[in-house]
Amino acid sequence: MNDAKGGGPDKPRAIVVGHGEFAGGLVSAVGQICGLADKLVVLSMMGKTPEDIEGAIREEIARTGARVIFTDLPAGSATLAARRIVKEDPGVVLVSGVNLATLLDFVFNTEVSPTEAARAAAERGKASLIVVGR
Amino acid sequence: MGINLYRIDDRLIHGQVVVGWGQPLNVRFLVLVDDLVASSDWEKELYRMAIPPEMEIFFADVGTAIRDHPRYASDPRPGLLITGDIGSMLRLVKGVKAIGNVNLGGIHHRAGRAEKLRYVFLTPEEEEQLRDLEASGVEVTAQDVPSARAVALPEVLDGESK
């Protein structure tokens, strides 16, 4: 189903899920900056039970072949749902605490597998957090 | 200090609990009361890894939570106790007999439940359990986050605020 580059050249490579409109806003920003929003699937948690969230992520993995899940909060329901999925399928990678720098690095890094790209993107995302001023 | 908030939320540990309530209440320990979670090492580890390092988490089935409630209540730190369903909270309330308020934080849609609030969907049996909670001397209000209005149980059950 998946090749090393993800679910196929025209398919999304990752699922982004978070609270409120977070995922949609983040992916919209990716689209505005580089036009690669179609490499990401947006899922909202609003009004969903943990089972609904887990089911929705599983559906998108099955539909797209994506092997990477980005979530916002480590304590969030989406992160817990994704960790259940990773437990069953260690080939899927979860990155929690996603930010815009992480996603931008990920969508451009097509020379490696999505899971490798996710690990590299997480490092870029960490490094993008800076504090300026006293 | 002890338990500052008793909450019913089918998502158990998640952002609203850890951050939304955890920050303003300065919560330093969580009590997750759930029979299934308490019986699974993997589930306990899943939730343990979700909480920030400044918080401690205790896992208990309902019976253990009733037994250990005096210890939670006398803990010098601010705490939050959570159940994933109304029935577990009702059993806890009846066993402890020292719980004055319960927060209905999230019971989401599934077959057989009717919408009462945006974040509260109930079966007729669950409505009855909530009435039973109040009949036990507990004030039940629905409030997903601290900045929201606390909705009294009769208004919740009326469903006009959804």
Side-chain angles (χ1 to χ4, degrees):
Chain A
M1 181 173 69
N2 305 325
D3 60 23
K5 301 287 176 65
D10 299 322
K11 286 195 168 182
R13 302 173 79 234
I15 296 160
V16 186
V17 54
H19 292 80
E21 303 292 344
F22 179 83
L26 212 50
V27 173
S28 166
V30 170
Q32 187 179 21
I33 292 169
C34 66
L36 293 174
D38 61 338
K39 300 303 175 195
L40 304 164
V41 174
V42 173
L43 278 180
S44 171
M45 295 160 49
M46 282 195 292
K48 290 189 172 77
T49 65
E51 293 79 13
D52 291 339
I53 296 165
E54 187 177 332
I57 297 173
R58 286 185 190 280
E59 279 178 23
E60 289 302 328
I61 287 175
R63 185 180 69 83
T64 65
R67 308 300 289 162
V68 176
I69 307 164
F70 290 104
T71 65
D72 50 8
L73 270 183
S77 300
T79 303
L80 295 171
R83 286 188 57 207
R84 293 181 193 280
I85 293 168
V86 171
K87 183 195 178 202
E88 287 178 18
D89 184 352
V92 174
V93 164
L94 162 67
V95 178
S96 179
V98 67
N99 59 20
L100 184 54
T102 304
L103 285 190
L104 288 170
D105 192 80
F106 176 80
V107 296
F108 276 112
N109 192 355
T110 57
E111 297 306 309
V112 298
S113 73
T115 54
E116 289 176 81
R119 294 181 196 283
E123 294 306 315
R124 177 61 64 95
K126 287 181 202 171
S128 75
L129 288 173
I130 60 171
V131 177
V132 177
R134 287 191 280 175
Chain B
M1 281 293 180
I3 305 290
N4 283 359
L5 185 74
Y6 293 85
R7 179 174 173 97
I8 302 165
D9 192 326
D10 57 13
R11 295 160 293 182
L12 295 173
I13 304 298
H14 65 111
Q16 282 181 1
V17 171
V18 172
V19 181
W21 289 94
Q23 294 275 1
L25 294 180
N26 195 30
V27 168
R28 286 296 177 265
F29 75 97
L30 295 166
V31 185
L32 195 166
V33 182
D34 186 279
D35 292 353
L36 284 176
V37 173
S39 66
S40 164
D41 288 340
W42 193 83
E43 289 287 329
K44 286 189 275 193
E45 186 59 19
L46 176 71
Y47 289 108
R48 190 176 284 116
M49 288 183 68
I51 62 167
E54 67 272 16
M55 282 187 194
E56 186 176 8
I57 185 164
F58 302 108
F59 299 95
D61 55 32
V62 174
T64 304
I66 292 169
R67 185 195 70 196
D68 290 350
H69 188 267
R71 179 163 62 86
Y72 310 141
S74 62
D75 195 299
R77 303 168 296 174
L80 189 157
L81 183 148
I82 190 161
T83 69
D85 61 272
I86 299 163
S88 294
M89 185 61 81
L90 181 59
R91 287 160 58 206
L92 183 71
V93 162
K94 287 182 179 294
V96 168
K97 297 184 175 65
I99 296 173
N101 298 276
V102 166
N103 160 248
L104 194 52
I107 297 289
H108 292 84
H109 180 265
R110 69 176 50 151
R113 282 181 175 156
E115 182 176 5
K116 300 299 179 181
L117 297 173
R118 174 179 47 80
Y119 54 91
V120 177
F121 296 72
L122 301 171
T123 65
E125 182 188 8
E126 288 169 329
E127 290 188 38
E128 199 52 44
Q129 288 174 329
L130 288 170
R131 290 191 186 92
D132 197 354
L133 266 179
E134 284 221 319
S136 303
V138 174
E139 183 186 9
V140 179
T141 54
Q143 187 178 11
D144 55 350
V145 292
S147 58
R149 178 173 71 92
V151 183
L153 182 60
E155 192 179 341
V156 173
L157 297 180
D158 186 48
E160 293 299 314
S161 303
K162 68 184 180 185

